[in-house]
Amino acid sequence: MDPGTFDASSLSSFLSLGVNRVSLGVQAFQNELLKVCGRAHCLDHVRESLEIIKSSGLENWSLDLISSLPNQSLEMWEESLRAAIESGAPHLSVYDLQVEEGTKFGAWYKPGQSPLPSEEESAMFYRKAWELLSKAGYEHYEISSYCKRGMECKHNMGYWLNKPYYGFGLGAASYVGGIRFTRSRRMKDYARYVELLESERTREKEIEGLERGGSESENKGMVGVTVIGGLERGEERESESGRLVGRESVWEGVRESESEVVMDAIMLSLRMGRGLEVAGFRGRFGEEILERVCRALRPYVESGHVLPLDEDRRTLSAVDFVRFCESRMQNKSVEYIRLSDPDGFLLSNELISVAFASLSSS
């Protein structure tokens, strides 16, 4: 929810329907920054929304902040962080501004150029968030998320553990059965999509009496595949997912390749405070891939940006990690591999790219 877009009555209605968590998109606690980043709300709306959430009795809620905004100073950022802590939010998401090409914001500002902060200043913002939130009792469980004990966002955890999920609404992404797909961003197409899903449900009910051993052609084309690009009209063919795309019945999704699955596992696990679980990774992808990744990360273990941990999550030395690598992973001392906090997380893109590059080595 964005501040100013709901009141106590609407929040109460959501809660009565079973909604059990709210994420409040505050972004900043300064009116001048809210205005420059195009937010429709002001600080009064923020205060009012916080009071509504607290008075509702809802205990599971989150607050979002954005750093590296135009003309944002370290003092402003610290002020926003302290205000977020004082709000009592059990969960905080702290994002660094990403300027996307092709957007109005991208036309106004260029990364690293004034009035946007430099990379060094952005790193200072990240470190300041880690410093203040850690002191306030928040656990840095994911690269952009902090929480009080036991209040990790299950929604986020589903992403980072690469579990399947459904997304509903315009532009919503889903990941089901190894297929990634996104619903239409246009209301007209989305409405048509919903109509087609309803017709597919009717068809499914009509064939419920068919034997399980029926022909494949009778059982393909049902609800469950897809929403990328647009409606497939007037043809039947095999999609990349291996399922039949029927006439106006479904939209096409993309099944991940094996290498993409491995890269997802590396990227998502290294974004987490818990890190990559060695035994699980080995069991899923094999000894050779694990060895490649470990050897690629070895220099960064020695520099302190990557941490090997034992089964009790105690940090091991670089020497221990070298022994682990030289034993061809037979030494079971290393149970987890994670990025150090905050310096390793600050280099996460580079470190993840290094791990990716190891997968293509001979």
Side-chain angles (χ1 to χ4, degrees):
M1 291 176 159
D2 288 330
T5 62
F6 66 98
D7 56 21
S9 176
S10 59
L11 178 57
S12 177
S13 296
F14 280 123
L15 298 182
S16 70
L17 291 171
V19 171
N20 63 2
R21 189 177 189 274
V22 167
S23 180
L24 189 66
V26 172
Q27 318 311 359
F29 279 87
Q30 296 84 21
N31 278 323
E32 59 267 39
L33 293 185
L34 292 173
K35 185 176 181 179
V36 78
C37 66
R39 308 305 298 183
H41 63 269
C42 64
L43 199 50
D44 286 342
H45 290 142
V46 171
R47 295 191 182 103
E48 180 183 359
S49 296
L50 287 171
E51 287 302 316
I52 291 172
I53 290 175
K54 292 178 182 180
S55 63
S56 72
L58 185 66
E59 296 182 357
N60 190 1
W61 60 282
S62 180
L63 189 152
D64 291 358
L65 294 177
I66 297 180
S67 63
S68 300
L69 293 170
N71 296 310
Q72 186 179 38
S73 66
L74 185 61
E75 291 72 26
M76 285 176 162
W77 179 233
E78 185 169 344
E79 180 182 39
S80 288
L81 289 167
R82 293 191 184 281
I85 293 169
E86 290 171 6
S87 76
H91 186 283
L92 294 171
S93 290
V94 179
Y95 302 110
D96 189 62
L97 176 68
Q98 299 297 310
V99 180
E100 302 289 346
E101 291 186 8
T103 63
K104 288 185 177 180
F105 209 89
W108 297 337
Y109 305 106
K110 298 300 178 185
Q113 296 181 9
S114 182
L116 294 182
S118 65
E119 287 188 8
E120 292 75 16
E121 290 171 317
S122 294
M124 289 173 59
F125 289 149
Y126 191 86
R127 288 191 174 94
K128 179 58 68 174
W130 173 79
E131 175 191 337
L132 293 183
L133 296 178
S134 297
K135 286 182 179 179
Y138 287 88
E139 176 187 348
H140 195 188
Y141 76 96
E142 185 267 329
I143 194 167
S144 299
S145 299
Y146 295 78
C147 70
K148 297 291 188 179
R149 184 176 296 275
M151 297 303 292
E152 295 89 348
C153 175
K154 293 180 180 178
H155 178 70
N156 283 354
M157 293 291 284
Y159 287 147
W160 310 139
L161 296 177
N162 214 21
K163 292 183 177 181
Y165 56 87
Y166 283 103
F168 300 96
L170 295 177
S174 299
Y175 178 52
V176 182
I179 300 172
R180 297 192 183 278
F181 56 95
T182 305
R183 304 186 193 279
S184 174
R185 296 180 181 276
R186 299 195 307 173
M187 180 58 77
K188 181 180 178 181
D189 286 344
Y190 188 81
R192 177 62 178 152
Y193 170 71
V194 173
E195 291 175 5
L196 293 172
L197 286 184
E198 288 299 318
S199 66
E200 291 288 356
R201 285 184 63 192
T202 300
R203 286 179 58 198
E204 282 185 318
K205 289 179 180 179
E206 290 174 351
I207 64 171
E208 278 181 355
L210 292 176
E211 294 181 357
R212 289 183 179 273
S215 68
E216 276 192 295
S217 61
E218 289 175 323
N219 293 305
K220 287 183 175 181
M222 295 295 100
V223 177
V225 225
T226 95
V227 183
I228 279 187
L231 286 170
E232 295 290 344
R233 300 180 183 274
E235 62 177 348
E236 285 193 357
R237 61 185 175 82
E238 289 290 332
S239 71
E240 292 180 12
S241 68
R243 299 191 186 184
L244 195 66
V245 177
R247 288 188 179 87
E248 290 196 321
S249 60
V250 289
W251 293 358
E252 186 179 2
V254 178
R255 183 179 294 279
E256 291 185 304
S257 66
E258 181 63 24
S259 63
E260 288 172 328
V261 172
V262 176
M263 289 191 290
D264 278 348
I266 293 170
M267 176 186 69
L268 297 172
S269 61
L270 291 182
R271 286 181 59 97
M272 297 286 292
R274 61 185 287 174
L276 185 150
E277 197 266 310
V278 170
F281 189 87
R282 176 195 286 115
R284 189 176 179 190
F285 303 115
E287 200 81 39
E288 181 184 352
I289 290 180
L290 174 63
E291 183 177 358
R292 288 184 183 184
V293 172
C294 288
R295 291 191 181 279
L297 294 177
R298 177 173 164 176
Y300 301 93
V301 171
E302 294 170 349
S303 68
H305 292 95
V306 176
L307 304 177
L309 308 176
D310 66 13
E311 61 181 348
D312 296 319
R313 302 196 61 81
R314 292 175 299 198
T315 302
L316 299 171
S317 69
V319 173
D320 291 325
F321 190 75
V322 170
R323 288 173 182 161
F324 175 71
C325 292
E326 291 180 346
S327 73
R328 296 185 62 83
M329 320 296 126
Q330 297 308 306
N331 178 335
K332 306 298 183 182
S333 60
V334 177
E335 294 290 339
Y336 301 93
I337 300 170
R338 62 156 293 173
L339 304 187
S340 63
D341 195 5
D343 291 336
F345 276 146
L346 278 168
L347 288 180
S348 61
N349 289 340
E350 178 182 342
L351 297 176
I352 290 168
S353 295
V354 167
F356 285 177
S358 72
L359 301 179
S360 59
S361 62
S362 57

